[in-house]
Amino acid sequence: MTSLDYAQMFRLDGRHAVVVGCGGIGSEIAAGLAAQGARVTCLDKDLAAAEQTRASLPHSQTREHTAYPVDVLDPAPLGRLAEELGDVDVLVLTAAVNVRKRLLDYTAEEFDRVVSLNLRATFDVVRAFAPRMVKRGSGSVVALTSIRAVTVEPGQGVYAATKAGVMQLVRTWAAELGPAGVRVNAVAPGVVETPLTQQIRDDEAWGRAYAEKSALGRWARPEEMVGAVCWLASDAASFVTGSQVMVDGGWTAVDGRFTPPFS
């Protein structure tokens, strides 16, 4: 007989989940984790955004959900907060930035800004939270990458490089932390309807081309990212680590190309 309770394997009751980046998709992920029974801590540089997400979450049966401001680019206070929060069962990283420019037009400052938040901060956040998971012998880390980790277009080079880099960190962490019982995976969204993609959707040709690129012929909604994250966080994915789950409507399975405008 299996030791896994199929009726409960997606549940997160009694577990502490930390979501880093609580706007847009991060807010929906926090809601999904809470709905599965997790106690959620919302972390964001914008405390108002973190508090707004926390206030919207369904009540936890263990302890109250919490929210804290955190600058993931400042590792010292990040480390102190990780210690203050204590044991964390699930860590989800969503914070990222993109500067849409051709590589030859990039400035050094823009390059550093994208690499610092998308790649270095991912490294620092996991470095802050993973040691307690290792010591305890369990934990699930889920990083949001992107379809740009595997396929690019003009103007997305630096962002794509950081997302591919995050995936290589995920694979390495999976190898290094797996013996301690810690799983590390990624969810790669396709094009999602968020405020950050409004510029694209405001351009009719660009928005339509993105919609038609996927096998499903449309943009994703933020809540459609939640299921994959909750699955990876749960016992249902107990033998899944080092993987990148594509939640892209078939984008990376279908051929096609569109060169977007840059101004």
Side-chain angles (χ1 to χ4, degrees):
M1 289 293 291
T2 178
S3 61
L4 188 61
D5 183 348
Y6 294 144
Q8 296 294 318
M9 64 182 183
F10 293 99
R11 295 292 302 175
L12 299 170
D13 300 284
R15 301 186 194 184
H16 181 197
V18 171
V19 178
V20 182
C22 288
I25 295 173
S27 181
E28 297 294 338
I29 289 171
L33 294 168
Q36 292 302 318
R39 173 174 65 90
V40 179
T41 294
C42 303
L43 303 183
D44 200 286
K45 186 175 183 180
D46 181 356
L47 179 58
E51 284 284 5
Q52 183 177 4
T53 295
R54 181 203 62 78
S56 69
L57 300 180
H59 181 69
S60 169
Q61 295 187 8
T62 52
R63 292 165 53 193
E64 290 298 317
H65 305 300
T66 54
Y68 297 89
V70 65
D71 183 354
V72 293
L73 298 177
D74 194 347
L78 175 65
R80 291 193 294 269
L81 179 59
E83 283 298 314
E84 178 184 338
L85 293 178
D87 287 344
V88 172
D89 302 287
V90 178
L91 175 65
V92 182
L93 304 100
T94 77
V97 68
N98 188 13
V99 175
R100 293 178 177 276
K101 279 188 175 181
R102 299 180 193 274
L103 289 175
L104 294 183
D105 295 330
Y106 246 82
T107 67
E109 184 277 330
E110 289 167 337
F111 181 92
D112 288 344
R113 177 153 55 97
V114 176
V115 171
S116 293
L117 181 58
N118 297 4
L119 189 60
R120 174 61 189 270
T122 297
F123 170 76
D124 284 337
V125 171
V126 175
R127 184 169 59 168
F129 284 93
R132 290 182 72 105
M133 292 182 173
V134 169
K135 185 176 181 180
R136 196 173 67 252
S138 65
S140 175
V141 178
V142 183
L144 262 65
T145 53
S146 168
I147 54 173
R148 297 303 170 210
V150 297
T151 182
V152 301
E153 70 177 16
Q156 295 272 48
V158 179
Y159 179 81
T162 62
K163 291 301 185 178
V166 168
M167 190 55 219
Q168 291 301 80
L169 289 178
V170 164
R171 292 185 175 111
T172 306
W173 279 319
E176 294 178 351
L177 307 185
V182 179
R183 298 183 297 107
V184 187
N185 293 286
V187 168
V191 291
V192 186
E193 294 177 347
T194 70
L196 294 178
T197 60
Q198 189 63 51
Q199 172 199 4
I200 299 173
R201 287 177 285 125
D202 285 343
D203 184 299
E204 183 180 355
W206 195 359
R208 184 174 63 253
Y210 270 25
E212 293 174 351
K213 175 62 180 73
S214 75
L216 297 181
R218 63 175 177 83
W219 284 64
R221 301 182 302 276
E223 62 267 27
E224 291 181 298
M225 304 300 113
V226 175
V229 174
C230 288
W231 168 61
L232 290 171
S234 75
D235 291 342
S238 59
F239 203 61
V240 181
T241 195
S243 293
Q244 181 168 231
V245 180
M246 309 303 296
V247 188
D248 64 353
W251 179 295
T252 51
V254 182
D255 188 30
R257 184 174 185 274
F258 175 70
T259 301
F262 288 93
S263 60

